[in-house]
Amino acid sequence: MDTAPPALSPLDTAWEARDAQPSLTRALIQPELGGPDDPQAGVIAAYLLWRDGALPDAVERVTLSLNRLRLGPPSVWTGRGLNILAALQSQLNRPDLAVSLYQEQVDLARHIRDPELSATALHDLGVELRFSDPERARQHITEALLIFQGMDYAHGVAVAHANLADFAQRAGDHHATLHHTAQAMAFPFMDQQPTLEVEVQAARLHALTALNDPAADDARARLEQFSGSHTNPEVQITARLALARHAPPDRIVTLLTPAVDTARLLGEHVNLPVLHEELSAAHAALGDHAAAHHHLSETLRLERSRHAAERRQNLQSFEVLHRIQALQEIAEQERHRNDELNVHLQELRALNRRIRELSRTDHLTQLTNREHLFHEGERLAAASSPPRPLAAAIIDIDHFKRINDTWGHQLGDTVLQHTAQLIRSVARPGDVTARYGGEEFMILRPDASAADLALTCQELQRRMHAHPWQDIIPDLRVTLSIGVADTARANPPDFDALVAEADRRLYAVKNAGRDHIRAEA
C-alpha cells in the first residue's frame, strides 16, 4: 500500500515556503518566536532578514539561534543556521569565518545524512572559493547542481545556474553565460527573488552587450528598475555595478557614489572594494586624481583585510590537517577493536530482529498472531477513510472439531498449517494475514472494499477445494466459511466494529450451510 508522506510541521512548511511565499513564512514563524522552537524559527527569521537586505540584524538573529541549537543534538536546523551565517559572513567580507562555517555544515550534513544540506554546503563553499580556486569552485557548484536537479529543488537549480553563469562570464564565454541565465530565469518564482534575479540580469546584460544583441535593452531596463528604488540595498548595489560596467566615467560616478554609502551601512560588504576600484578608475578618467587616490586607497585597505582573513583560514587549515593526522593514528589503533564490536553489534541486531519477529508470529502457522493483528488493525483502521476503506475477512475452517475428534489434534495442526499456506498464497503485498484464534484466520487489506477482498476469498476457496487433502488422509475434505466487511460506511472507522461486522457475516454463512462467502450486509 502506498502511504501519504507525513504532514510537514508549521516550521518545516515555513522553511519550504521561504523563497516562494515569504509572507506565508512570516505568518507561520510568528507564533513560534519566543517559544520552545524559537531557535528554529529564528533561523528562518534570519533568512528573511538577509533576503530583505538587513545583514547586521540577520547575523545577530542567526547567531543567537545557532548558540542554542549547538547545545542540542546535531540537526538539520543547525545546518541551515550554519549555512545562513556562512553566507552572511561571506557577504560581509569575512571569508575565513565563512569557509569555517561551510566546513562545519558539510561535516554536520554528512553526519545526519541530509542530501539538501550537503548539496547547499557544497554549492556555497564553491561560491566562496570562486576567486582563490575557481576551477575547484566550479566543480563544487556543478556537482551541487546535479544533486539539486535529482532532488527537483528548483530554487537550488536556479541559484547554481546563476553562479555558473558568473563563471562563464569571467571566462568570456558569452553563449554559455546566456545558457545558464536562461536556465536560472526558468525558476517559476523568480519575480519574488530580487537578489537572485538582479545577479542573473547583470550576467545577461554583459553577455548580450558583448554579442550586440538588442535584448540587452530589456536586461538594462530591468536593472534600472532595481537600481532606483528597491528596498534591498544588496539588490541596488548589484544593479548599479552591472549598469556601471557599460557606462561612461561620469555616469559611473553617479551610479556608484551612493552605492558606496549603501554598502557601508551593511558593514565591510564584499562589494565595497569593487565599488571603490570602479570609482577610482572613473575619477582618474575624469581627471579628479585626489578622488581617484582616495578610492584606490580604500580598495587596497579592503583587499588587505580580505587577504588577511584568507591567510588566517590557510593557517587554521594547516592546524586542522595536523589534528586530523593525529586523530587518524588514534582511529587506526581503535579500528581493530571496533571491528570486533561491529561483529557483536550485528549479531545483537539480528537477534533483536528475530525476537521481534517471534513476538508477532503464530508459532504453528507462521502467520501474524492475534496481538499483532489487532495492533495493525487499529492502526490501519485509523488511517482509513470512506474513499480508501480497510477490508477484513474472517475465515473459519468448517467442522474443525470433527477433524480433531476423528483423526486427532496432530492432523488438525497439519490442516491449520496447510490452510495458512493457502491463505499466504492468495494474499497481496501489503495484506496482513493472521491466525485469529483456534481454527479462525483473518486477512486485512488496506485501501480495498469488501467486494475486492471477497474476490481473493473466492480464489482461496477454489484452491481449498483443489487441494489434495486426500493425500494426507483418505476421505479428508476441508472447506471454509468466510465473512467479509469494510469500513467504507463507518464514521469514524473502528477496528472492533469492523471485526464484529465480518464476524456477523461469517455466522450468517454458517447458518446458511457453510462453505460460502458473505460480503454484504
Side-chain angles (χ1 to χ4, degrees):
M1 171 187 171
D2 293 334
T3 56
L8 292 177
S9 70
L11 284 176
D12 286 328
T13 302
W15 180 259
E16 293 291 330
R18 69 194 186 282
D19 294 311
Q21 298 174 281
S23 298
L24 171 63
T25 299
R26 289 187 179 89
L28 288 169
I29 67 171
Q30 192 59 43
E32 310 298 333
L33 293 171
D37 291 330
D38 178 81
Q40 293 89 336
V43 168
I44 304 175
Y47 183 87
L48 295 175
L49 286 168
W50 172 29
R51 288 310 183 196
D52 287 342
L55 272 64
D57 292 340
V59 170
E60 181 179 353
R61 190 64 183 88
V62 75
T63 300
L64 178 64
S65 289
L66 267 177
N67 288 341
R68 295 177 60 187
L69 288 167
R70 281 170 165 151
L71 296 176
S75 73
V76 70
W77 286 104
T78 307
R80 290 166 178 170
L82 288 167
N83 180 259
I84 293 168
L85 184 56
L88 288 165
Q89 298 292 13
S90 177
Q91 292 295 95
L92 295 173
N93 210 25
R94 298 166 188 159
D96 53 335
L97 295 177
V99 171
S100 176
L101 290 162
Y102 283 134
Q103 190 58 58
E104 185 180 351
Q105 182 192 346
V106 169
D107 293 341
L108 183 142
R110 288 171 178 164
H111 178 71
I112 66 175
R113 298 183 179 180
D114 187 288
E116 180 181 335
L117 199 59
S118 297
T120 303
L122 191 66
H123 172 275
D124 292 351
L125 183 58
V127 173
E128 189 59 41
L129 295 171
R130 65 190 183 279
F131 298 116
S132 58
D133 193 347
E135 183 55 32
R136 182 179 165 209
R138 188 183 60 78
Q139 291 173 358
H140 282 337
I141 295 172
T142 302
E143 184 179 349
L145 171 62
L146 294 174
I147 298 172
F148 289 145
Q149 288 172 332
M151 296 169 56
D152 199 22
Y153 179 31
H155 182 258
V157 170
V159 173
H161 274 298
N163 283 297
L164 288 172
D166 182 63
F167 280 100
Q169 176 182 308
R170 293 175 190 280
D173 190 340
H174 305 306
H175 293 289
T177 301
L178 293 176
H179 164 74
H180 287 298
T181 56
Q183 293 296 314
M185 289 300 293
F187 179 51
F189 300 104
M190 184 62 82
D191 61 332
Q192 301 177 39
Q193 295 291 311
T195 54
L196 176 58
E197 186 186 350
V198 72
E199 293 177 0
V200 175
Q201 295 289 8
R204 284 185 71 237
L205 176 61
H206 179 68
L208 292 168
T209 302
L211 294 171
N212 293 317
D213 191 316
D217 291 338
D218 295 333
R220 185 178 294 104
R222 185 64 172 147
L223 289 167
E224 290 284 0
Q225 291 177 355
F226 282 132
S227 71
S229 58
H230 201 280
T231 56
N232 188 322
E234 288 197 293
V235 172
Q236 284 190 36
I237 292 167
T238 304
R240 287 173 177 267
L241 275 169
L243 292 168
R245 189 170 188 179
H246 307 282
D250 57 340
R251 173 66 172 153
I252 293 174
V253 172
T254 302
L255 282 167
L256 300 189
T257 299
V260 169
D261 296 331
T262 302
R264 281 181 181 147
L265 294 175
L266 302 176
E268 290 201 350
H269 193 271
V270 67
N271 277 330
L272 259 177
V274 182
L275 290 167
H276 281 296
E277 185 176 13
E278 293 292 329
L279 281 168
S280 176
H283 280 295
L286 293 170
D288 189 346
H289 299 296
H293 181 268
H294 163 73
H295 287 293
L296 183 59
S297 298
E298 285 297 293
T299 303
L300 291 173
R301 181 183 67 79
L302 292 165
E303 287 296 335
R304 284 171 181 163
S305 175
R306 178 179 182 83
H307 291 158
E310 289 175 345
R311 284 197 299 274
R312 286 195 300 273
Q313 178 61 35
N314 289 336
L315 286 172
Q316 290 168 3
S317 298
F318 184 69
E319 292 173 0
V320 168
L321 287 174
H322 278 285
R323 289 200 297 272
I324 290 173
Q325 185 175 359
L327 289 171
Q328 285 175 336
E329 292 173 358
I330 295 171
E332 187 63 33
Q333 297 169 7
E334 293 290 319
R335 187 167 293 122
H336 295 296
R337 187 170 70 88
N338 287 342
D339 287 344
E340 295 178 0
L341 290 174
N342 283 332
V343 170
H344 292 307
L345 180 61
Q346 294 302 321
E347 291 174 350
L348 284 172
R349 286 174 176 167
L351 181 59
N352 282 333
R353 284 195 298 270
R354 181 58 179 156
I355 290 171
R356 285 195 299 270
E357 188 65 30
L358 288 173
S359 71
R360 54 180 279 184
T361 303
D362 176 67
H363 175 70
L364 178 64
T365 64
Q366 297 303 300
L367 298 179
T368 294
N369 61 24
R370 182 186 179 93
E371 180 181 359
H372 186 70
L373 167 71
F374 272 79
H375 179 271
E376 283 296 285
E378 289 169 359
R379 181 183 69 82
L380 293 170
S384 68
S385 62
R388 305 181 68 181
L390 171 65
I394 300 181
I395 302 162
D396 184 85
I397 299 177
D398 293 329
H399 304 299
F400 184 72
K401 184 176 183 301
R402 185 187 303 167
I403 294 172
N404 275 338
D405 292 344
T406 303
W407 289 291
H409 288 278
Q410 186 173 358
L411 178 71
D413 288 348
T414 300
V415 169
L416 290 171
Q417 290 170 333
H418 281 245
T419 302
Q421 290 172 2
L422 291 170
I423 290 172
R424 272 196 298 269
S425 74
V426 299
R428 294 179 187 171
D431 286 355
V432 176
T433 55
R435 187 179 181 189
Y436 183 39
E439 72 275 18
E440 289 186 326
F441 301 87
M442 280 192 73
I443 300 175
L444 301 181
R445 178 166 295 168
D447 197 13
S449 65
D452 175 61
L453 185 53
L455 293 175
T456 297
C457 293
Q458 289 175 9
E459 175 61 18
L460 173 62
Q461 281 199 325
R462 188 192 68 76
R463 296 187 187 192
M464 287 290 291
H465 294 157
H467 194 68
W469 298 107
Q470 65 277 6
D471 292 349
I472 302 172
I473 290 289
D475 300 326
L476 176 63
R477 181 173 180 270
V478 183
T479 61
L480 301 174
S481 295
I482 304 173
V484 189
D486 62 39
T487 61
R489 297 183 181 178
N491 188 19
D494 179 79
F495 184 62
D496 289 336
L498 173 65
V499 173
E501 180 59 24
D503 200 40
R504 188 182 68 78
R505 296 178 186 183
L506 168 66
Y507 275 91
V509 172
K510 288 185 175 183
N511 292 334
R514 304 178 189 264
D515 191 19
H516 191 62
I517 301 165
R518 186 180 182 94
E520 292 135 0

